[in-house]
Amino acid sequence: MTSDGIDDRIDVRGPRFGAALTAVVLAAALISGSGWLLACQALVFAVGAVAGVQRSPYAWLFRVAVRPRLSAPTAFEDPAPPRFAQSVGLFFALVGLAGFAAGAPWLGLAATAAALAAAFLNAAFGYCLGCEMYLLLRRAAG
């Protein structure tokens, strides 16, 4: 338990819920070409990457609105891999925002699509690309 009362372990269902919301926001940004929607998602990624995934807006929504309606969690995970995944998502969102700001909408759309693909994999299949990257980097570092 952290000093602000938030458990430092993550209910494994939480990141999938967050990924589903992320996929919806990124799909809307991709369809509309909205840099503003992408900026909102970048802010969510930034909070998850900097403050921890337990403190992200989507984790709060899961904790308050969804988790009380589910059975008790049976599995928890370390927050480090999902936090790294939030950093990867933030990188792609920032690249997308840079593309939109620089007048290169193709770059904005491509980066948004890449982030959407990763979010969809996590939401639909429970496969977190950023988490897998984290584990590969940890193994490579020894």
Side-chain angles (χ1 to χ4, degrees):
M1 190 75 65
T2 61
S3 62
D4 58 2
I6 296 175
D7 194 342
D8 58 351
R9 299 173 306 153
I10 299 173
D11 178 342
V12 296
R13 301 169 295 186
R16 281 187 82 171
F17 173 78
L21 292 178
T22 297
V24 169
V25 171
L26 291 173
L30 189 62
I31 291 166
S32 68
S34 172
W36 290 108
L37 277 176
L38 185 57
C40 290
Q41 184 57 51
L43 182 60
V44 172
F45 282 142
V47 171
V50 174
V53 291
Q54 308 94 315
R55 292 169 190 80
S56 76
Y58 297 162
W60 176 83
L61 186 60
F62 176 77
R63 205 170 38 255
V64 170
V66 177
R67 189 170 175 185
R69 291 169 173 73
L70 301 174
S71 61
T74 58
F76 293 91
E77 69 177 310
D78 176 18
R83 188 173 188 173
F84 180 81
Q86 293 290 296
S87 300
V88 173
L90 177 60
F91 171 77
F92 277 94
L94 292 176
V95 168
L97 287 171
F100 286 128
W106 61 269
L107 179 59
L109 294 172
T112 303
L116 172 59
F120 177 79
L121 280 174
N122 194 354
F125 305 109
Y127 187 80
C128 176
L129 285 174
C131 299
E132 294 300 323
M133 287 174 49
Y134 174 84
L135 296 173
L136 286 172
L137 290 171
R138 294 284 299 199
R139 285 185 199 121

